[in-house]
Amino acid sequence: MLFALFYVIAITVLVLHFTGFLARHNVEWLVLVLAAAVFPAVIYL
């Protein structure tokens, strides 16, 4: 369940990033938070 929720949040953040919404509202750091959240999964897999 949490895995699916993570995917929904990740897709939403990426869509907002590529549409420019995050940059306009100065929350571009959410992309970095998303990358840091994915990093441990990459190490363990």
Side-chain angles (χ1 to χ4, degrees), residues 6 32-45:
F6 179 78
L32 298 176
V33 170
L34 180 65
V38 170
F39 187 71
V42 172
I43 289 177
Y44 290 118
L45 295 177

Side-chain angles (χ1 to χ4, degrees), residues 21-29:
F21 181 85
L22 297 180
R24 283 194 304 269
H25 296 285
N26 291 326
V27 286
E28 192 70 26
W29 53 268

Side-chain angles (χ1 to χ4, degrees), residues 11-30:
I11 290 169
T12 304
V13 167
L14 287 177
V15 167
L16 292 176
H17 167 70
F18 285 116
T19 57
F21 181 85
L22 297 180
R24 283 194 304 269
H25 296 285
N26 291 326
V27 286
E28 192 70 26
W29 53 268
L30 282 176

